Amino acid sequence: GGAAEPPPKLVLDLERLSQVPSEKAGPLQRYAATIQSQRGDYNGKVLSIRQDDLRTLAVIYDQSPSVLTEQLIGWGVLDADARRAVQHDEV
Ligand code: C2E
Ligand code: C2E
Ligand code: C2E
């Protein structure tokens, strides 16, 4: 795509997220549940999150946003397209 293309949305697959063992996914599971609660958005199979939230989660997981994104793609929680969101973000 061209330089003017907007970054892709970060869309969490909540069904896959619930299947990842909580030793690994616990912080993200709690973070997503908090956003759902703040929005009153309880019935979705997916949850769109802010680019800023990925940065916050990277701090929580003590990883770079791109390494965390790869992990979430590996879990099936983020689409491979999310890579472009991070590339776009890491300047
Ligand atoms: P807020 O950040 O003050 O946003 C107030 C309202 O503005 C939101 O109410 C929503 O209707 C709208 N809004 C703000 N940013 C966006 C956006 O990027 N896209 C869309 N579609 N709407 C937006 P809502 O959804 O009831 O959320 C209430 C509060 O919950 C928000 O207040 C914020 O403090 C928190 N929140 C909700 N979703 C998220 C999230 O994905 N990440 C973070 N960090 N906080 C969130
Ligand atoms: P989209 O962004 O491609 O989302 C497609 C569908 O994924 C949505 O259909 C909804 O079923 C689900 N989805 C995505 N993000 C969330 C989420 O955070 N929570 C929940 N519960 N479901 C989510 P829906 O609702 O019929 O929306 C169709 C299209 O309408 C969306 O396509 C988007 O283009 C637009 N849209 C809906 N809500 C918003 C919004 O808050 N902000 C913006 N900018 N567009 C919206
Ligand atoms: P979206 O609703 O399509 O919004 C796309 C981008 O437009 C957001 O990316 C943000 O940069 C900007 N934007 C939209 N509404 C607002 C607003 O009220 N205030 C500000 N300051 N910026 C706004 P971002 O932040 O990465 O969010 C990505 C997606 O996450 C949003 O797509 C929406 O689907 C969801 N989201 C984020 N925050 C909220 C929220 O507070 N409430 C709800 N319901 N959805 C949110």
mmCIF file of all heavy atoms in Angstrom, residues 13 16-17 19-21 23-29 61 68-78:
data_model
loop_
_atom_site.group_PDB
_atom_site.id
_atom_site.type_symbol
_atom_site.label_atom_id
_atom_site.label_comp_id
_atom_site.label_asym_id
_atom_site.label_seq_id
_atom_site.Cartn_x
_atom_site.Cartn_y
_atom_site.Cartn_z
ATOM 1 N N ASP A 13 -9.452 -11.115 18.695
ATOM 2 C CA ASP A 13 -10.388 -12.242 18.609
ATOM 3 C C ASP A 13 -10.612 -12.761 20.036
ATOM 4 O O ASP A 13 -9.756 -13.435 20.605
ATOM 5 C CB ASP A 13 -9.787 -13.329 17.712
ATOM 6 C CG ASP A 13 -10.739 -14.507 17.490
ATOM 7 O OD1 ASP A 13 -11.546 -14.812 18.403
ATOM 8 O OD2 ASP A 13 -10.671 -15.109 16.403
ATOM 9 N N ARG A 16 -10.570 -16.677 20.668
ATOM 10 C CA ARG A 16 -9.218 -17.243 20.741
ATOM 11 C C ARG A 16 -8.523 -16.796 22.029
ATOM 12 O O ARG A 16 -7.822 -17.592 22.662
ATOM 13 C CB ARG A 16 -8.381 -16.802 19.525
ATOM 14 C CG ARG A 16 -8.950 -17.214 18.190
ATOM 15 C CD ARG A 16 -9.007 -18.721 18.027
ATOM 16 N NE ARG A 16 -7.693 -19.325 17.869
ATOM 17 C CZ ARG A 16 -7.087 -19.523 16.709
ATOM 18 N NH1 ARG A 16 -7.694 -19.190 15.592
ATOM 19 N NH2 ARG A 16 -5.898 -20.083 16.660
ATOM 20 N N LEU A 17 -8.723 -15.540 22.398
ATOM 21 C CA LEU A 17 -8.086 -15.020 23.607
ATOM 22 C C LEU A 17 -8.504 -15.826 24.838
ATOM 23 O O LEU A 17 -7.687 -16.107 25.718
ATOM 24 C CB LEU A 17 -8.433 -13.536 23.794
ATOM 25 C CG LEU A 17 -7.838 -12.851 25.029
ATOM 26 C CD1 LEU A 17 -6.312 -12.933 25.036
ATOM 27 C CD2 LEU A 17 -8.287 -11.395 25.106
ATOM 28 N N GLN A 19 -9.146 -18.850 24.957
ATOM 29 C CA GLN A 19 -8.590 -20.212 24.893
ATOM 30 C C GLN A 19 -7.099 -20.252 25.238
ATOM 31 O O GLN A 19 -6.550 -21.326 25.443
ATOM 32 C CB GLN A 19 -8.808 -20.796 23.486
ATOM 33 C CG GLN A 19 -10.283 -21.089 23.205
ATOM 34 C CD GLN A 19 -10.572 -21.247 21.717
ATOM 35 O OE1 GLN A 19 -9.672 -21.132 20.876
ATOM 36 N NE2 GLN A 19 -11.831 -21.497 21.385
ATOM 37 N N VAL A 20 -6.434 -19.080 25.271
ATOM 38 C CA VAL A 20 -5.011 -19.062 25.602
ATOM 39 C C VAL A 20 -4.878 -19.209 27.121
ATOM 40 O O VAL A 20 -5.610 -18.575 27.873
ATOM 41 C CB VAL A 20 -4.354 -17.734 25.142
ATOM 42 C CG1 VAL A 20 -2.856 -17.753 25.439
ATOM 43 C CG2 VAL A 20 -4.591 -17.493 23.658
ATOM 44 N N PRO A 21 -3.946 -20.091 27.595
ATOM 45 C CA PRO A 21 -3.780 -20.275 29.044
ATOM 46 C C PRO A 21 -3.542 -18.935 29.751
ATOM 47 O O PRO A 21 -2.792 -18.088 29.262
ATOM 48 C CB PRO A 21 -2.543 -21.173 29.152
ATOM 49 C CG PRO A 21 -2.466 -21.889 27.849
ATOM 50 C CD PRO A 21 -3.041 -20.955 26.815
ATOM 51 N N GLU A 23 -1.873 -18.134 32.303
ATOM 52 C CA GLU A 23 -0.493 -17.798 32.731
ATOM 53 C C GLU A 23 0.133 -16.859 31.705
ATOM 54 O O GLU A 23 0.957 -16.019 32.048
ATOM 55 C CB GLU A 23 0.403 -19.044 32.839
ATOM 56 C CG GLU A 23 -0.166 -20.166 33.651
ATOM 57 C CD GLU A 23 -0.875 -21.159 32.754
ATOM 58 O OE1 GLU A 23 -0.221 -21.974 32.097
ATOM 59 O OE2 GLU A 23 -2.131 -21.098 32.736
ATOM 60 N N LYS A 24 -0.237 -17.052 30.431
ATOM 61 C CA LYS A 24 0.313 -16.211 29.367
ATOM 62 C C LYS A 24 -0.570 -15.013 29.087
ATOM 63 O O LYS A 24 -0.104 -13.898 28.965
ATOM 64 C CB LYS A 24 0.442 -17.026 28.070
ATOM 65 C CG LYS A 24 1.461 -18.137 28.114
ATOM 66 C CD LYS A 24 1.419 -18.907 26.800
ATOM 67 C CE LYS A 24 2.515 -19.961 26.730
ATOM 68 N NZ LYS A 24 2.399 -20.756 25.495
ATOM 69 N N ALA A 25 -1.859 -15.262 28.949
ATOM 70 C CA ALA A 25 -2.757 -14.232 28.420
ATOM 71 C C ALA A 25 -3.472 -13.445 29.503
ATOM 72 O O ALA A 25 -4.214 -12.517 29.190
ATOM 73 C CB ALA A 25 -3.781 -14.869 27.465
ATOM 74 N N GLY A 26 -3.257 -13.781 30.783
ATOM 75 C CA GLY A 26 -3.994 -13.153 31.867
ATOM 76 C C GLY A 26 -4.052 -11.632 31.813
ATOM 77 O O GLY A 26 -5.138 -11.055 31.863
ATOM 78 N N PRO A 27 -2.876 -10.944 31.696
ATOM 79 C CA PRO A 27 -2.921 -9.477 31.666
ATOM 80 C C PRO A 27 -3.760 -8.941 30.506
ATOM 81 O O PRO A 27 -4.535 -8.002 30.695
ATOM 82 C CB PRO A 27 -1.442 -9.093 31.514
ATOM 83 C CG PRO A 27 -0.694 -10.238 32.118
ATOM 84 C CD PRO A 27 -1.500 -11.463 31.763
ATOM 85 N N LEU A 28 -3.606 -9.547 29.314
ATOM 86 C CA LEU A 28 -4.389 -9.092 28.159
ATOM 87 C C LEU A 28 -5.870 -9.409 28.347
ATOM 88 O O LEU A 28 -6.736 -8.596 27.987
ATOM 89 C CB LEU A 28 -3.861 -9.749 26.872
ATOM 90 C CG LEU A 28 -4.633 -9.450 25.592
ATOM 91 C CD1 LEU A 28 -4.725 -7.954 25.320
ATOM 92 C CD2 LEU A 28 -3.982 -10.163 24.402
ATOM 93 N N GLN A 29 -6.174 -10.572 28.936
ATOM 94 C CA GLN A 29 -7.576 -10.922 29.197
ATOM 95 C C GLN A 29 -8.220 -9.907 30.140
ATOM 96 O O GLN A 29 -9.353 -9.470 29.921
ATOM 97 C CB GLN A 29 -7.669 -12.348 29.772
ATOM 98 C CG GLN A 29 -7.417 -13.427 28.728
ATOM 99 C CD GLN A 29 -7.088 -14.792 29.339
ATOM 100 O OE1 GLN A 29 -6.759 -14.893 30.522
ATOM 101 N NE2 GLN A 29 -7.170 -15.836 28.516
ATOM 102 N N TYR A 61 3.777 -6.310 29.284
ATOM 103 C CA TYR A 61 4.424 -7.580 28.948
ATOM 104 C C TYR A 61 5.943 -7.456 28.871
ATOM 105 O O TYR A 61 6.622 -8.435 28.571
ATOM 106 C CB TYR A 61 3.864 -8.130 27.632
ATOM 107 C CG TYR A 61 2.572 -8.915 27.818
ATOM 108 C CD1 TYR A 61 1.328 -8.305 27.693
ATOM 109 C CD2 TYR A 61 2.607 -10.269 28.142
ATOM 110 C CE1 TYR A 61 0.153 -9.030 27.872
ATOM 111 C CE2 TYR A 61 1.441 -11.002 28.326
ATOM 112 C CZ TYR A 61 0.222 -10.370 28.192
ATOM 113 O OH TYR A 61 -0.931 -11.083 28.376
ATOM 114 N N LEU A 68 5.445 -8.188 20.911
ATOM 115 C CA LEU A 68 4.143 -8.553 21.472
ATOM 116 C C LEU A 68 3.144 -8.858 20.354
ATOM 117 O O LEU A 68 2.379 -9.828 20.445
ATOM 118 C CB LEU A 68 3.608 -7.424 22.361
ATOM 119 C CG LEU A 68 2.219 -7.686 22.962
ATOM 120 C CD1 LEU A 68 2.225 -8.914 23.867
ATOM 121 C CD2 LEU A 68 1.707 -6.463 23.728
ATOM 122 N N THR A 69 3.157 -8.042 19.292
ATOM 123 C CA THR A 69 2.240 -8.272 18.178
ATOM 124 C C THR A 69 2.463 -9.650 17.569
ATOM 125 O O THR A 69 1.494 -10.381 17.295
ATOM 126 C CB THR A 69 2.420 -7.171 17.111
ATOM 127 O OG1 THR A 69 2.109 -5.911 17.701
ATOM 128 C CG2 THR A 69 1.519 -7.411 15.918
ATOM 129 N N GLU A 70 3.757 -10.034 17.390
ATOM 130 C CA GLU A 70 4.047 -11.374 16.852
ATOM 131 C C GLU A 70 3.476 -12.464 17.762
ATOM 132 O O GLU A 70 2.949 -13.476 17.294
ATOM 133 C CB GLU A 70 5.556 -11.575 16.695
ATOM 134 C CG GLU A 70 6.176 -10.782 15.562
ATOM 135 C CD GLU A 70 5.513 -11.043 14.213
ATOM 136 O OE1 GLU A 70 5.157 -12.203 13.927
ATOM 137 O OE2 GLU A 70 5.330 -10.083 13.455
ATOM 138 N N GLN A 71 3.593 -12.261 19.077
ATOM 139 C CA GLN A 71 3.075 -13.246 20.025
ATOM 140 C C GLN A 71 1.554 -13.362 19.897
ATOM 141 O O GLN A 71 1.007 -14.468 19.887
ATOM 142 C CB GLN A 71 3.460 -12.821 21.443
ATOM 143 C CG GLN A 71 3.230 -13.885 22.472
ATOM 144 C CD GLN A 71 4.043 -13.635 23.729
ATOM 145 O OE1 GLN A 71 4.543 -12.532 23.962
ATOM 146 N NE2 GLN A 71 4.179 -14.634 24.545
ATOM 147 N N LEU A 72 0.887 -12.218 19.781
ATOM 148 C CA LEU A 72 -0.581 -12.236 19.691
ATOM 149 C C LEU A 72 -1.032 -12.854 18.375
ATOM 150 O O LEU A 72 -2.055 -13.544 18.322
ATOM 151 C CB LEU A 72 -1.139 -10.819 19.847
ATOM 152 C CG LEU A 72 -0.836 -10.131 21.182
ATOM 153 C CD1 LEU A 72 -1.574 -8.808 21.289
ATOM 154 C CD2 LEU A 72 -1.189 -11.019 22.362
ATOM 155 N N ILE A 73 -0.259 -12.626 17.296
ATOM 156 C CA ILE A 73 -0.570 -13.270 16.016
ATOM 157 C C ILE A 73 -0.394 -14.783 16.167
ATOM 158 O O ILE A 73 -1.216 -15.566 15.695
ATOM 159 C CB ILE A 73 0.318 -12.700 14.889
ATOM 160 C CG1 ILE A 73 -0.058 -11.234 14.601
ATOM 161 C CG2 ILE A 73 0.173 -13.541 13.612
ATOM 162 C CD1 ILE A 73 0.929 -10.499 13.704
ATOM 163 N N GLY A 74 0.687 -15.184 16.876
ATOM 164 C CA GLY A 74 0.945 -16.610 17.109
ATOM 165 C C GLY A 74 -0.174 -17.285 17.890
ATOM 166 O O GLY A 74 -0.497 -18.448 17.645
ATOM 167 N N TRP A 75 -0.784 -16.561 18.812
ATOM 168 C CA TRP A 75 -1.922 -17.095 19.585
ATOM 169 C C TRP A 75 -3.217 -17.124 18.766
ATOM 170 O O TRP A 75 -4.207 -17.691 19.210
ATOM 171 C CB TRP A 75 -2.169 -16.241 20.829
ATOM 172 C CG TRP A 75 -1.094 -16.290 21.877
ATOM 173 C CD1 TRP A 75 -0.061 -17.196 21.962
ATOM 174 C CD2 TRP A 75 -0.938 -15.412 23.001
ATOM 175 N NE1 TRP A 75 0.717 -16.921 23.053
ATOM 176 C CE2 TRP A 75 0.203 -15.832 23.715
ATOM 177 C CE3 TRP A 75 -1.653 -14.308 23.468
ATOM 178 C CZ2 TRP A 75 0.643 -15.199 24.873
ATOM 179 C CZ3 TRP A 75 -1.216 -13.667 24.619
ATOM 180 C CH2 TRP A 75 -0.077 -14.115 25.316
ATOM 181 N N GLY A 76 -3.200 -16.438 17.619
ATOM 182 C CA GLY A 76 -4.430 -16.331 16.828
ATOM 183 C C GLY A 76 -5.358 -15.233 17.323
ATOM 184 O O GLY A 76 -6.509 -15.147 16.900
ATOM 185 N N VAL A 77 -4.833 -14.375 18.223
ATOM 186 C CA VAL A 77 -5.658 -13.319 18.823
ATOM 187 C C VAL A 77 -5.703 -12.073 17.928
ATOM 188 O O VAL A 77 -6.696 -11.363 17.892
ATOM 189 C CB VAL A 77 -5.119 -12.986 20.230
ATOM 190 C CG1 VAL A 77 -5.707 -11.706 20.778
ATOM 191 C CG2 VAL A 77 -5.407 -14.154 21.178
ATOM 192 N N LEU A 78 -4.597 -11.818 17.208
ATOM 193 C CA LEU A 78 -4.558 -10.731 16.232
ATOM 194 C C LEU A 78 -4.362 -11.312 14.835
ATOM 195 O O LEU A 78 -3.720 -12.357 14.670
ATOM 196 C CB LEU A 78 -3.398 -9.760 16.510
ATOM 197 C CG LEU A 78 -3.567 -8.680 17.570
ATOM 198 C CD1 LEU A 78 -2.294 -7.831 17.639
ATOM 199 C CD2 LEU A 78 -4.771 -7.792 17.275
#
